[in-house]
Amino acid sequence: MKPLPTMICCLMLFLATECSHYRAKFHTKDGDKHQHFEEKPKTRKIQEKCHGPCFSPFNCSEPCTQPFHGEIGFTCNQNKWQKSTETCTSLSVEMLFKDLNGASRLSIAAPSIPLRILDFRAPEPIESVVQGIRKNCVQDYACIVNVVKSSEVTSGNIAFIVEILKNISTDLSDNVTQEKMKSYGIVANHILDTAAISNWAFIPDKNASSDLLQSVNLFARQLHIKNESENIVDEPFIQTKGFHLNHNTSEKSFRFSRHINNTTEDILGMIEIPKHELWKLPPNTVQAISIAFPTLGAVLKEAHLQNVSLPRPANGLVLSVVLPERLKQILLTFEKINKSQSARAQCVGWHSRKRRWDENVCETTSDTRNKVKCRCNYTSAVMSFSILMSPKSIDNKILDYITCIGLSVSILSLILCLFIEAMVWSRVVVTEISYMRHVCIVNIAVSLLTANVWFIISSNFSKKAQDHKWCVAMTFFSHFFYLSLFFWMFFKALLIIYGILVVFHRMMKSRMMAIGFVIGYGFPLIIAVTTVAITVPEKGYVRHDACWLNWDNTKALLAFAIPALVIVAVNLLVVLVVAVNTQRPFIGSSKSQDVAIIRRISKNVAILTPLLGLTWGFGIATLIEGTSLIFHIIFALLNAFQGFFILLFGTIMDHKIRDALRMKMASLKGHPRVAENASLSPTNGSKLMNR
């Protein structure tokens, strides 16, 4: 017969076990009953609702399938339901430490333990991941690794794991060892796998990717390197390396190489600390840590580009660094993922507070087809760097050559045009209409010449954070003078209509001059100043990569595009009116006269097209994504050489200017009789009357 204490012990253990088993059975039965009578019909109803035709902008949701809990959200797009969000997760704080709690409770079955020591109370519930790690694996965080690695990479699980890493980096980063960093990297690697990348898009919190990057960087900042071991974390989708440094260290570099997506070759990345920066270090040893993310660049969401249809994708590794405070500048080399000729690169740093890429902290020093070299400034807010590509940029040497040669020819042509106008001015401005016509030609030439000069200056300007005001100034003058060019072309078109429709009444020259200068310079000044006043306070006036009007953030470019395209459309109507007016036949006209009319129309259209800016109409085709390169070449040819066309059609082909030049040259050579005969010739007189 057993002793009484032992019998009481066994009885209590039996009762505790049975009661616990009964409670578990009852809870399961109740849960099954609830699920049977409520969940299944509800699930079927919602699934029928989210799988069929729909009408925008309705949304719907359906619960996740077992064993996941959460829901999947759908949005109606083009009369079809499309998945928009997902919170399906199988992970929980209880599941992370479930096996560990079960193992710790087995000891109560030992019959040799005295009754007074046995504790029949249920184990204390773990309410947070931080609490569970402190209780079970505070030395290396290894207790959560296997559970995380065995979980599916659904959107809900990814968001849950990001929250785990975020909590660890804020609450458990007081003494980060290499063992802790390795476990941390394994957990992060699981949700950065290429198989998980597509599921990041359905996480409701669009800041999850930037939270992950910031959490890893903050955790690595507390890491203490004990030995000279370089590799700390060496996972497929996250690598961490560390070095010891001092002011006597030669140039130090971190080299990374990893596969990305479907690439067959490794993508390289390198961080270099230049010698002049290492001289700033104290004599005692300090440490430098770097982290490489092969796939994180594909999921990083910029805060100000969430609703933009064309986000800026990263075209290389994302490289993070943790450096001593005295080091401010690093050199980076990125191998391009997309090595096509159109993949123009921009060196950037991730601003953790603004949650976006910042172009002002980096300078692109070299950009070849395969690699990009950057010089970047390191701060506590900017610790991660990469290169971006613009899907709409066209990097073609032909366009560069056309622009360079065309602008040079245009500038020389416009200077020659102004010189000729100055020589013959007194001989050609006879009537009010001819006077205003040449005023238009001169101001068109001055505006285009000045705009081209500012364009060349701004194109060769190295845009840095401290030069932002200069960039704004250059963009303002380029914007203003290009607008002036179009508005003077518009005024010239009004003069043509005025000359055709108004025959017997002529406006005073002073009034026409006032109207011309208000239209030619007043309207552009109002538009340019208003654009600056609205967009500069938000720092959205200029582009991040060039000194020209911004498009991505504030759409400031519309302040140039809309007036220019409207004027081009109006001027096109004027050309049509001139063509119709020219083709009016004479009574009893012959075939030869019809041919002459066609020639006259063609000549008028050819002359008016560059003078009225119709060549800029080809710019509409270049704005369409996927436009053939030939349209870009045509647009570059017509507009880069616009100054030459103004000289040719506006000056040289004008017979009055040619006659005036002939007389001027004859008088300079000492032949006044020739000049007099030229001025009194019947042919010239008839032409003057016709003009």
Side-chain angles (χ1 to χ4, degrees):
M1 187 170 180
K2 294 183 179 180
L4 183 61
T6 304
M7 292 180 64
I8 294 175
C9 176
C10 292
L11 179 61
M12 292 180 66
L13 180 60
F14 172 77
L15 291 174
T17 304
E18 287 298 314
C19 291
S20 174
H21 180 63
Y22 178 76
R23 284 197 304 268
K25 288 171 62 178
F26 178 80
H27 178 75
T28 303
K29 185 176 180 180
D30 182 69
D32 289 342
K33 181 179 180 181
H34 177 74
Q35 184 178 5
H36 178 74
F37 287 100
E38 295 186 12
E39 290 295 331
K40 286 187 178 181
K42 185 178 179 181
T43 301
R44 188 180 302 112
K45 182 178 180 181
I46 296 179
Q47 285 178 347
E48 290 175 357
K49 177 184 175 183
C50 296
H51 292 81
C54 61
F55 300 96
S56 299
F58 289 107
N59 300 321
C60 76
S61 61
E62 63 180 25
C64 306
T65 58
Q66 295 296 331
F68 298 95
H69 50 86
E71 65 178 19
I72 304 173
F74 294 87
T75 301
C76 186
N77 187 14
Q78 297 180 350
N79 297 328
K80 294 181 180 179
W81 291 113
Q82 292 185 356
K83 182 178 173 181
S84 57
T85 60
E86 179 193 314
T87 59
C88 298
T89 178
S90 59
L91 293 174
S92 64
V93 175
E94 180 182 0
M95 176 174 286
L96 287 176
F97 307 101
K98 179 180 179 181
D99 295 337
L100 298 174
N101 290 336
S104 62
R105 295 171 62 188
L106 294 176
S107 59
I108 64 173
S112 57
I113 299 178
L115 181 64
R116 65 181 181 274
I117 298 178
L118 290 176
D119 185 3
F120 297 102
R121 293 175 299 177
E124 181 181 352
I126 297 176
E127 298 179 354
S128 68
V129 175
V130 172
Q131 179 186 356
I133 290 176
R134 283 176 174 162
K135 182 178 180 181
N136 295 286
C137 54
V138 72
Q139 297 299 323
D140 56 5
Y141 308 161
C143 58
I144 65 172
V145 169
N146 290 333
V147 179
V148 169
K149 288 178 66 176
S150 63
S151 64
E152 293 188 35
V153 282
T154 61
S155 301
N157 281 344
I158 292 173
F160 185 84
I161 294 171
V162 169
E163 197 64 26
I164 291 175
L165 296 174
K166 187 177 178 180
N167 291 337
I168 292 175
S169 65
T170 54
D171 298 332
L172 294 173
S173 59
D174 50 347
N175 183 25
V176 180
T177 62
Q178 293 184 203
E179 291 76 17
K180 293 179 180 179
M181 190 71 210
K182 187 171 183 179
S183 297
Y184 195 93
I186 293 173
V187 174
N189 177 79
H190 181 65
I191 57 176
L192 290 173
D193 194 298
T194 52
I197 296 302
S198 60
N199 291 330
W200 280 85
F202 304 114
I203 300 176
D205 183 8
K206 300 305 178 183
N207 293 328
S209 55
S210 58
D211 286 342
L212 172 64
L213 179 59
Q214 186 174 4
S215 299
V216 175
N217 290 342
L218 290 176
F219 195 72
R221 183 181 287 178
Q222 304 300 323
L223 174 62
H224 299 285
I225 304 174
K226 295 181 180 179
N227 49 44
E228 292 293 335
S229 176
E230 175 183 332
N231 293 318
I232 302 170
V233 178
D234 191 16
E235 297 295 323
F237 306 104
I238 180 172
Q239 290 177 283
T240 304
K241 297 183 179 182
F243 289 113
H244 286 123
L245 305 171
N246 57 51
H247 70 288
N248 292 322
T249 306
S250 58
E251 289 188 353
K252 203 69 177 178
S253 64
F254 300 91
R255 294 178 181 270
F256 298 96
S257 176
R258 272 296 180 267
H259 286 293
I260 295 183
N261 299 335
N262 297 324
T263 56
T264 56
E265 298 180 357
D266 285 352
I267 299 298
L268 305 176
M270 184 170 66
I271 303 173
E272 298 178 76
I273 306 175
K275 182 64 178 177
H276 66 83
E277 287 289 316
L278 293 170
W279 286 343
K280 301 176 183 179
L281 294 176
N284 55 310
T285 301
V286 294
Q287 65 182 24
I289 299 166
S290 181
I291 310 166
F293 304 92
T295 57
L296 182 60
V299 298
L300 268 178
K301 298 290 184 183
E302 295 187 80
H304 71 293
L305 290 178
Q306 289 180 0
N307 298 322
V308 175
S309 59
L310 287 174
R312 301 179 295 175
N315 199 23
L317 299 176
V318 175
L319 300 178
S320 295
V321 287
V322 179
L323 300 176
E325 293 183 358
R326 297 188 181 185
L327 302 184
K328 300 298 182 182
Q329 193 175 85
I330 56 175
L331 305 176
L332 301 106
T333 302
F334 296 95
E335 184 177 358
K336 294 181 179 179
I337 301 172
N338 183 352
K339 296 181 174 63
S340 65
Q341 290 186 353
S342 62
R344 178 175 294 174
Q346 171 68 53
C347 299
V348 291
W350 182 263
H351 200 293
S352 58
R353 299 192 188 101
K354 298 178 181 178
R355 296 182 185 269
R356 63 175 175 85
W357 292 112
D358 189 350
E359 296 85 352
N360 296 323
V361 300
C362 290
E363 179 184 358
T364 304
T365 58
S366 174
D367 185 358
T368 63
R369 181 169 182 176
N370 296 326
K371 293 183 180 180
V372 180
K373 292 187 177 181
C374 312
R375 182 184 293 111
C376 298
N377 297 323
Y378 169 83
T379 65
S380 59
V382 183
M383 302 169 59
S384 305
F385 307 89
S386 188
I387 55 173
L388 303 181
M389 59 176 285
S390 175
K392 298 181 70 174
S393 65
I394 294 184
D395 187 12
N396 195 294
K397 295 294 182 183
I398 298 177
L399 297 179
D400 293 338
Y401 291 142
I402 291 174
T403 303
C404 183
I405 297 172
L407 287 178
S408 302
V409 172
S410 284
I411 289 174
L412 294 176
S413 300
L414 292 169
I415 293 173
L416 181 59
C417 175
L418 294 173
F419 179 73
I420 293 174
E421 287 285 343
M423 286 183 62
V424 302
W425 183 264
S426 60
R427 295 179 183 271
V428 296
V429 290
V430 181
T431 64
E432 287 84 357
I433 291 294
S434 63
Y435 181 85
M436 291 307 303
R437 175 184 175 277
H438 286 278
V439 167
C440 286
I441 291 291
V442 168
N443 282 280
I444 286 172
V446 169
S447 298
L448 182 57
L449 176 62
T450 311
N452 285 344
V453 170
W454 279 112
F455 176 81
I456 292 174
I457 294 173
S458 61
S459 297
N460 293 279
F461 179 74
S462 178
K463 186 174 182 296
K464 300 176 183 177
Q466 61 267 31
D467 297 325
H468 178 73
K469 292 182 179 179
W470 284 104
C471 187
V472 168
M474 286 185 288
T475 303
F476 172 80
F477 285 116
S478 297
H479 183 203
F480 170 70
F481 282 107
Y482 275 122
L483 283 178
S484 297
L485 168 68
F486 279 95
F487 275 94
W488 275 109
M489 289 176 173
F490 173 64
F491 183 65
K492 181 172 176 59
L494 295 180
L495 283 179
I496 294 173
I497 293 295
Y498 177 74
I500 293 174
L501 300 180
V502 182
V503 179
F504 299 104
H505 176 73
R506 295 298 178 191
M507 192 182 297
M508 293 178 59
K509 185 193 297 184
S510 59
R511 184 176 295 178
M512 295 176 70
M513 285 284 290
I515 295 174
F517 276 86
V518 168
I519 293 176
Y521 292 117
F523 290 173
L525 184 62
I526 293 172
I527 295 173
V529 170
T530 304
T531 306
V532 170
I534 294 175
T535 58
V536 164
E538 303 175 8
K539 291 188 176 181
Y541 182 60
V542 297
R543 291 170 51 180
H544 296 294
D545 57 344
C547 293
W548 183 235
L549 297 173
N550 188 290
W551 173 256
D552 291 333
N553 301 340
T554 59
K555 302 294 187 291
L557 185 59
L558 292 176
F560 170 73
I562 291 178
L565 293 177
V566 170
I567 290 173
V568 167
V570 173
N571 290 0
L572 179 61
L573 294 177
V574 173
V575 172
L576 295 177
V577 171
V578 172
V580 171
N581 185 265
T582 306
Q583 74 172 352
R584 281 187 285 188
F586 297 100
I587 298 175
S589 59
S590 62
K591 263 189 180 180
S592 60
Q593 289 174 327
D594 292 338
V595 172
I597 291 174
I598 294 173
R599 288 178 178 174
R600 222 168 31 242
I601 294 174
S602 302
K603 180 181 177 181
N604 289 336
V605 172
I607 291 173
L608 293 177
T609 295
L611 293 180
L612 299 185
L614 301 187
T615 55
W616 287 80
F618 284 92
I620 300 175
T622 64
L623 296 176
I624 302 173
E625 186 180 1
T627 302
S628 172
L629 181 63
I630 189 65
F631 287 99
H632 292 271
I633 294 176
I634 293 173
F635 179 71
L637 280 170
L638 293 176
N639 292 284
F641 287 91
Q642 189 175 12
F644 171 74
F645 295 141
I646 290 174
L647 172 66
L648 177 63
F649 295 112
T651 304
I652 295 177
M653 291 187 66
D654 188 337
H655 64 83
K656 287 181 63 177
I657 292 179
R658 290 201 306 270
D659 292 340
L661 277 175
R662 193 180 301 115
M663 289 187 288
K664 187 73 174 179
M665 297 303 295
S667 62
L668 291 176
K669 291 180 179 180
H671 301 290
R673 175 63 62 182
V674 176
E676 183 180 351
N677 292 337
S679 63
L680 296 176
S681 65
T683 305
N684 189 49
S686 64
K687 289 179 179 178
L688 287 172
M689 292 298 294
N690 291 333
R691 297 293 289 181

